[in-house]
Amino acid sequence: SMKIPCLISIISFLIMNVVGMIGWNNVFIPISSTTCKVIYPFCLLSYNFGKIAMYQLFTFRIELIFKHTSYQISAMSLTVYRVLCCIIPTILWCVWIYLSWSDIKPHDTDSNDPQYQYCFPQHFKDSSNSKSFNLAENVMASIAVCDLIFSGIPLALFIYKYYQVTSLYRRAKIIEPNINDNGDLYQGLLNANLPGFELKHIAIIR
Protein backbone atom coordinates (compact mmCIF):
# COMPACT_ATOMS: atom_id res chain seq x y z
CA SER A 1 0.00 0.00 0.00
CA MET A 2 3.02 2.30 0.40
CA LYS A 3 4.22 1.88 -3.18
CA ILE A 4 1.29 3.76 -4.72
CA PRO A 5 1.55 7.00 -2.67
CA CYS A 6 5.33 6.87 -3.02
CA LEU A 7 5.10 6.69 -6.82
CA ILE A 8 2.39 9.35 -6.94
CA SER A 9 4.50 11.69 -4.86
CA ILE A 10 7.65 11.21 -6.96
CA ILE A 11 5.80 11.52 -10.27
CA SER A 12 3.79 14.56 -9.15
CA PHE A 13 6.83 16.50 -7.96
CA LEU A 14 8.82 15.49 -11.04
CA ILE A 15 6.06 16.65 -13.39
CA MET A 16 5.61 19.89 -11.45
CA ASN A 17 9.33 20.71 -11.66
CA VAL A 18 9.79 19.79 -15.32
CA VAL A 19 6.60 21.42 -16.59
CA GLY A 20 7.06 24.44 -14.34
CA MET A 21 10.69 24.95 -15.36
CA ILE A 22 9.77 24.86 -19.04
CA GLY A 23 6.34 26.48 -19.07
CA TRP A 24 6.24 29.01 -16.20
CA ASN A 25 8.48 31.43 -18.12
CA ASN A 26 9.54 32.19 -21.68
CA VAL A 27 13.17 31.18 -21.23
CA PHE A 28 12.67 27.96 -23.19
CA ILE A 29 9.35 28.40 -25.01
CA PRO A 30 7.01 31.33 -25.75
CA ILE A 31 4.18 31.73 -23.25
CA SER A 32 0.72 33.23 -23.56
CA SER A 33 -2.33 33.75 -21.38
CA THR A 34 -3.69 30.39 -22.52
CA THR A 35 -0.53 28.43 -21.73
CA CYS A 36 -0.22 30.19 -18.36
CA LYS A 37 -3.82 29.33 -17.45
CA VAL A 38 -3.06 25.68 -18.22
CA ILE A 39 0.42 25.31 -16.76
CA TYR A 40 0.10 27.38 -13.58
CA PRO A 41 -2.94 25.52 -12.11
CA PHE A 42 -1.55 22.20 -13.36
CA CYS A 43 1.73 22.69 -11.50
CA LEU A 44 0.01 23.84 -8.30
CA LEU A 45 -2.33 20.85 -8.31
CA SER A 46 0.55 18.49 -9.10
CA TYR A 47 2.36 19.87 -6.06
CA ASN A 48 -0.81 19.45 -3.99
CA PHE A 49 -1.29 15.81 -5.00
CA GLY A 50 2.40 15.13 -4.35
CA LYS A 51 2.05 16.51 -0.82
CA ILE A 52 -1.14 14.52 -0.22
CA ALA A 53 0.64 11.35 -1.33
CA MET A 54 3.44 12.11 1.14
CA TYR A 55 0.92 12.58 3.97
CA GLN A 56 -0.63 9.23 3.08
CA LEU A 57 2.80 7.58 2.89
CA PHE A 58 3.71 8.80 6.37
CA THR A 59 0.55 7.31 7.87
CA PHE A 60 0.94 4.00 6.03
CA ARG A 61 4.50 3.74 7.34
CA ILE A 62 3.47 4.48 10.92
CA GLU A 63 0.57 2.06 10.64
CA LEU A 64 2.91 -0.67 9.39
CA ILE A 65 5.50 -0.11 12.13
CA PHE A 66 3.06 -0.27 15.03
CA LYS A 67 0.58 -2.72 13.49
CA HIS A 68 -0.32 -5.73 15.63
CA THR A 69 1.17 -4.16 18.75
CA SER A 70 -0.52 -2.65 21.77
CA TYR A 71 0.45 0.77 20.39
CA GLN A 72 -1.22 0.50 17.01
CA ILE A 73 -3.15 3.58 15.90
CA SER A 74 -6.90 3.52 15.47
CA ALA A 75 -7.94 2.75 11.89
CA MET A 76 -10.76 5.27 12.16
CA SER A 77 -8.36 8.04 13.22
CA LEU A 78 -6.08 7.31 10.29
CA THR A 79 -9.02 7.27 7.88
CA VAL A 80 -10.26 10.65 9.13
CA TYR A 81 -6.76 12.10 8.80
CA ARG A 82 -6.34 10.76 5.27
CA VAL A 83 -9.69 12.14 4.14
CA LEU A 84 -9.04 15.58 5.66
CA CYS A 85 -5.53 15.83 4.20
CA CYS A 86 -7.01 15.15 0.75
CA ILE A 87 -9.96 17.54 0.97
CA ILE A 88 -8.74 20.61 2.86
CA PRO A 89 -5.51 21.41 0.95
CA THR A 90 -7.22 20.72 -2.39
CA ILE A 91 -10.04 23.14 -1.58
CA LEU A 92 -7.58 25.83 -0.49
CA TRP A 93 -5.47 25.46 -3.65
CA CYS A 94 -8.63 25.63 -5.80
CA VAL A 95 -9.66 28.82 -4.01
CA TRP A 96 -6.16 30.23 -4.61
CA ILE A 97 -6.41 29.42 -8.34
CA TYR A 98 -9.87 31.00 -8.50
CA LEU A 99 -8.66 34.20 -6.83
CA SER A 100 -5.69 34.47 -9.18
CA TRP A 101 -7.39 33.26 -12.35
CA SER A 102 -7.93 36.64 -14.00
CA ASP A 103 -4.25 37.55 -13.62
CA ILE A 104 -2.70 34.24 -14.68
CA LYS A 105 -0.95 35.62 -17.72
CA PRO A 106 2.58 36.59 -18.80
CA HIS A 107 4.17 39.30 -16.65
CA ASP A 108 7.44 41.05 -17.31
CA THR A 109 10.23 40.54 -14.83
CA ASP A 110 10.76 43.43 -12.42
CA SER A 111 13.73 45.13 -14.08
CA ASN A 112 14.50 48.24 -16.13
CA ASP A 113 14.94 46.22 -19.28
CA PRO A 114 12.82 43.06 -18.89
CA GLN A 115 13.86 40.25 -21.19
CA TYR A 116 11.77 37.47 -19.74
CA GLN A 117 8.18 36.90 -18.69
CA TYR A 118 6.63 34.55 -16.15
CA CYS A 119 3.15 33.23 -15.39
CA PHE A 120 2.89 34.04 -11.67
CA PRO A 121 -0.14 36.22 -10.90
CA GLN A 122 0.32 39.61 -9.29
CA HIS A 123 -3.28 40.56 -8.50
CA PHE A 124 -6.10 38.57 -6.94
CA LYS A 125 -9.86 38.72 -6.65
CA ASP A 126 -10.92 39.73 -3.18
CA SER A 127 -14.55 39.78 -2.13
CA SER A 128 -13.65 41.77 0.99
CA ASN A 129 -13.49 45.56 0.87
CA SER A 130 -11.65 45.72 4.16
CA LYS A 131 -8.06 46.92 3.89
CA SER A 132 -7.13 44.92 6.96
CA PHE A 133 -8.25 41.61 5.45
CA ASN A 134 -6.79 40.18 2.27
CA LEU A 135 -8.45 36.94 1.23
CA ALA A 136 -5.60 35.74 -0.99
CA GLU A 137 -3.03 36.26 1.75
CA ASN A 138 -5.18 34.40 4.25
CA VAL A 139 -5.72 31.52 1.82
CA MET A 140 -1.97 31.20 1.29
CA ALA A 141 -1.36 31.37 5.03
CA SER A 142 -4.00 28.66 5.52
CA ILE A 143 -2.24 26.45 2.96
CA ALA A 144 1.02 26.84 4.87
CA VAL A 145 -0.66 26.11 8.22
CA CYS A 146 -2.38 23.02 6.78
CA ASP A 147 0.94 21.74 5.48
CA LEU A 148 2.47 22.27 8.90
CA ILE A 149 -0.40 20.49 10.65
CA PHE A 150 -0.70 17.55 8.27
CA SER A 151 3.07 17.06 8.26
CA GLY A 152 3.33 17.49 12.03
CA ILE A 153 0.60 15.04 13.00
CA PRO A 154 2.38 11.90 11.64
CA LEU A 155 5.68 13.11 13.08
CA ALA A 156 4.15 13.73 16.51
CA LEU A 157 2.40 10.34 16.42
CA PHE A 158 5.59 8.52 15.53
CA ILE A 159 7.61 10.29 18.24
CA TYR A 160 4.92 9.60 20.85
CA LYS A 161 4.50 5.93 19.93
CA TYR A 162 8.25 5.39 19.65
CA TYR A 163 8.71 6.95 23.07
CA GLN A 164 6.14 4.56 24.52
CA VAL A 165 7.95 1.58 23.03
CA THR A 166 11.41 2.68 24.15
CA SER A 167 10.08 3.36 27.65
CA LEU A 168 9.42 -0.37 27.90
CA TYR A 169 13.07 -1.03 27.17
CA ARG A 170 14.18 1.45 29.82
CA ARG A 171 11.87 -0.15 32.36
CA ALA A 172 13.21 -3.57 31.42
CA LYS A 173 16.78 -2.39 32.00
CA ILE A 174 15.79 -1.34 35.50
CA ILE A 175 14.23 -4.73 36.21
CA GLU A 176 16.91 -6.73 34.37
CA PRO A 177 20.08 -4.54 34.40
CA ASN A 178 22.27 -7.14 32.69
CA ILE A 179 20.21 -7.29 29.50
CA ASN A 180 22.35 -6.70 26.38
CA ASP A 181 21.23 -6.00 22.84
CA ASN A 182 21.93 -9.50 21.55
CA GLY A 183 20.01 -12.72 21.20
CA ASP A 184 19.20 -12.70 24.91
CA LEU A 185 17.41 -9.36 24.64
CA TYR A 186 14.14 -10.92 23.52
CA GLN A 187 14.05 -13.49 26.28
CA GLY A 188 15.24 -11.05 28.92
CA LEU A 189 12.51 -8.56 28.14
CA LEU A 190 9.92 -11.30 28.04
CA ASN A 191 11.05 -12.48 31.46
CA ALA A 192 10.63 -8.94 32.78
CA ASN A 193 6.85 -9.42 32.34
CA LEU A 194 6.24 -5.84 31.24
CA PRO A 195 2.58 -5.08 30.51
CA GLY A 196 1.99 -4.49 26.82
CA PHE A 197 5.40 -5.74 25.72
CA GLU A 198 5.58 -7.65 22.45
CA LEU A 199 8.49 -8.97 20.41
CA LYS A 200 7.81 -6.52 17.61
CA HIS A 201 8.64 -3.65 19.96
CA ILE A 202 12.29 -4.72 20.01
CA ALA A 203 12.37 -4.64 16.22
CA ILE A 204 11.05 -1.07 16.35
CA ILE A 205 13.76 -0.05 18.84
CA ARG A 206 16.47 -1.64 16.71
Side-chain angles (χ1 to χ4, degrees), residues 169-187:
Y169 179 76
R170 289 194 297 271
R171 290 169 59 195
K173 293 293 287 185
I174 295 173
I175 298 172
E176 297 283 345
N178 295 322
I179 292 178
N180 297 314
D181 191 7
N182 52 32
D184 297 330
L185 181 61
Y186 291 94
Q187 191 59 45

Side-chain angles (χ1 to χ4, degrees), residues 76-146:
M76 178 60 70
S77 300
L78 291 174
T79 300
V80 171
Y81 169 86
R82 288 166 184 160
V83 171
L84 291 178
C85 76
C86 289
I87 294 176
I88 296 177
T90 303
I91 291 175
L92 290 173
W93 278 115
C94 288
V95 172
W96 173 264
I97 293 171
Y98 167 76
L99 294 174
S100 62
W101 185 256
S102 60
D103 200 49
I104 301 177
K105 58 186 179 183
H107 293 282
D108 291 331
T109 54
D110 189 12
S111 62
N112 294 329
D113 185 22
Q115 298 180 1
Y116 302 106
Q117 293 180 316
Y118 58 90
C119 290
F120 301 115
Q122 298 178 344
H123 305 285
F124 303 89
K125 297 178 183 177
D126 194 344
S127 58
S128 173
N129 294 322
S130 174
K131 294 182 180 180
S132 61
F133 181 84
N134 186 296
L135 182 58
E137 289 181 358
N138 282 273
V139 170
M140 182 51 64
S142 298
I143 291 172
V145 170
C146 281

Side-chain angles (χ1 to χ4, degrees), residues 44-100:
L44 292 187
L45 292 177
S46 295
Y47 171 81
N48 176 55
F49 293 133
K51 292 292 290 187
I52 290 173
M54 288 186 64
Y55 301 147
Q56 304 280 343
L57 181 61
F58 294 156
T59 58
F60 283 129
R61 182 60 178 168
I62 294 173
E63 185 179 27
L64 178 64
I65 290 174
F66 297 101
K67 191 176 182 180
H68 303 311
T69 75
S70 56
Y71 299 116
Q72 66 181 359
I73 302 170
S74 166
M76 178 60 70
S77 300
L78 291 174
T79 300
V80 171
Y81 169 86
R82 288 166 184 160
V83 171
L84 291 178
C85 76
C86 289
I87 294 176
I88 296 177
T90 303
I91 291 175
L92 290 173
W93 278 115
C94 288
V95 172
W96 173 264
I97 293 171
Y98 167 76
L99 294 174
S100 62

